[in-house]
Amino acid sequence: MQELLSRTMSAIVAHQNSDPILQCPASVLALLPDHPDPIIALAHSKLHTFPFHTVPVYWRRVYTDASIAKAVALIKHGLAHFDGDDMSLQDQDRKRSRGADENPSNEKSSKAWVDEVVRVLDMAVILAGAAGRGEMIDRLLSALHHFLPPKATSQTKRRRLEEDCDSFPMRQHMQSAKVPKIQYPIQSATAPSMQAFETHMETAQPLCIKEALTHWPAMHERPWSSPAYLLDKTLGGRRLIPVEIGRSYTDADWGQSIITFREFMERYMTSDVADPSKLGYLAQHDLFSQIPSLRNDIAIPDYCYTSPPSSETFNSGTATKPPLPQLDEPLINAWFGPASTVSPLHTDPYHNILCQVVGKKYVRLYNPSQTDKMYPKGIEGGGVDMSNTSEVDAEATPGMLDTIYPLFRQAKYVETVLSEGECLYIPVGWWHYVRSLSVSFSVSFWWN
């Protein structure tokens, strides 16, 4: 561990001539290694001065490097409770277990510094995007596994979450969710070949792909359906995640919060939440850059490496927007939440393969030719362009739709219930509405 900490700090203070951090004031660089707290506060204020995409890269690097310097200092302080790195990990484990039995405050002390290190590093990932230090942060966090306090021996709620929850309470949540009758099913195919998929793309229609994820470890030997497994991959649930609070981001009472993975699991995933405004949803988050070990449990579908037809094929009836730059690799995002979470009716700027790993989702899609019946939003507060999102709640009562959005009821759509192990190809520009029917873990792959 000491060698890792030394290498980390050497990398923090050694800058290449092209390093963007050199654009910040020299006084900041001088203070950063030994006095990271005021530098973190300064960089934090800069991150909130601009919209994220316009924040100068060097301020994101300052925030990240200062956070790493603080984490290193916290780890060094925490290691003072051990006999040094010459002690084997097995001996350290025995020492921690013995210490916890003899003095319960030892476990609390160990937990406190480990928790703080995780918090500091994860905030650098979530707020600053890790700014080129992702691998460095992951190495530090991975090393913390050796210093986690021993598990409690009492049958507490925490203990039950780790040991008794082999899977999420799917059936109970499915009974409480409204499962729609499928009237206009999406075309489906079983593991089509690349050539067959490319041929289908020429039709500019969605496709439900069955038996496409059988090789994913997340489906079998490293199951994401296991709360215990997910807790282990998140340092006992210590990792921080951004969570959307509320049924849908279009609702007035919707909000966001950064909480630990364990808190998310205990509050939203393994207990019933009757009030839709209190639902928690890990939505459209790049979880796999934050926790690369989870990335090893999945694979990019081969279909994402096909060449889509020209954009004109998909944008019939919609306003033409400038084409986006071509992606080198698909954009991968996680979607994890309880039953009844909703992604409101919207379009995406890329082709999408939505993969269902855990649970079921109801998905409804409208062709771009139906855009004149979708009631798109416009420019909202702060100049945010919401024209890719509809004003309509796709599952509102017929009476409400007839009164407020009469054209929407005339729009033609297709639909499906996406089950575990299935994928859904959503062509670029198609309007889609998604609702979880149970605890659900999905992965989306955007590509162009």
Side-chain angles (χ1 to χ4, degrees), residues 311-368:
S311 58
E312 287 79 7
T313 304
F314 299 91
N315 291 327
S316 175
T318 65
T320 302
K321 293 185 177 181
L324 293 170
Q326 186 168 344
L327 299 173
D328 294 327
E329 288 289 329
L331 300 177
I332 309 175
N333 283 301
W335 308 77
F336 183 35
S340 300
T341 53
V342 166
S343 293
L345 194 58
H346 68 286
T347 65
D348 294 331
Y350 300 98
H351 296 272
N352 184 5
I353 297 280
L354 180 64
C355 300
Q356 192 66 18
V357 184
V358 177
K360 296 176 183 289
K361 280 183 169 176
Y362 171 68
V363 188
R364 185 189 293 185
L365 296 99
Y366 295 82
N367 193 298

Side-chain angles (χ1 to χ4, degrees), residues 131-285:
R133 301 294 197 189
E135 292 184 4
M136 183 183 294
I137 289 174
D138 186 57
R139 284 194 293 269
L140 289 171
L141 289 168
S142 296
L144 291 181
H145 276 285
H146 302 311
F147 301 97
L148 296 180
K151 295 181 179 178
T153 56
S154 62
Q155 290 298 315
T156 61
K157 182 176 181 180
R158 172 169 301 190
R159 185 69 165 176
R160 290 195 301 271
L161 180 59
E162 291 175 349
E163 295 192 347
D164 295 346
C165 291
D166 294 329
S167 60
F168 293 102
M170 297 291 181
R171 182 172 299 177
Q172 176 182 355
H173 289 179
M174 283 287 290
Q175 290 174 345
S176 64
K178 182 178 64 174
V179 181
K181 179 181 178 180
I182 302 301
Q183 301 182 70
Y184 310 105
I186 296 172
Q187 181 182 345
S188 65
T190 300
S193 66
M194 294 282 280
Q195 182 177 358
F197 181 74
E198 285 194 316
T199 299
H200 175 84
M201 290 182 72
E202 296 287 348
T203 69
Q205 297 291 314
L207 181 69
C208 187
I209 304 171
K210 301 181 182 298
E211 298 182 15
L213 309 180
T214 55
H215 60 294
W216 279 21
M219 302 292 300
H220 305 291
E221 62 266 30
R222 301 198 288 273
W224 289 5
S225 59
S226 166
Y229 177 75
L230 295 176
L231 285 170
D232 180 67
K233 301 301 286 186
T234 55
L235 285 172
R238 291 173 173 81
R239 299 301 300 271
L240 297 183
I241 53 173
V243 175
E244 298 182 357
I245 309 299
R247 189 185 71 97
S248 165
Y249 67 76
T250 57
D251 292 349
D253 55 1
W254 178 87
Q256 294 175 293
S257 182
I258 295 177
I259 61 177
T260 67
F261 192 84
R262 176 178 290 280
E263 185 179 357
F264 174 71
M265 294 278 280
E266 291 178 347
R267 185 181 298 179
Y268 303 110
M269 303 304 297
T270 57
S271 59
D272 289 330
V273 181
D275 185 354
S277 68
K278 304 299 182 184
L279 291 173
Y281 195 15
L282 174 65
Q284 197 171 343
H285 177 51

Side-chain angles (χ1 to χ4, degrees), residues 3 16 27 43 110 121 140 162 186 193 215 225 261 288 297 340 344 375 393 407 433:
E3 182 182 353
Q16 302 291 331
S27 58
S110 176
L121 292 177
L140 289 171
E162 291 175 349
I186 296 172
S193 66
H215 60 294
S225 59
F261 192 84
F288 310 107
D297 295 346
S340 300
Y375 297 88
D393 181 346
L407 293 177
Y433 166 87

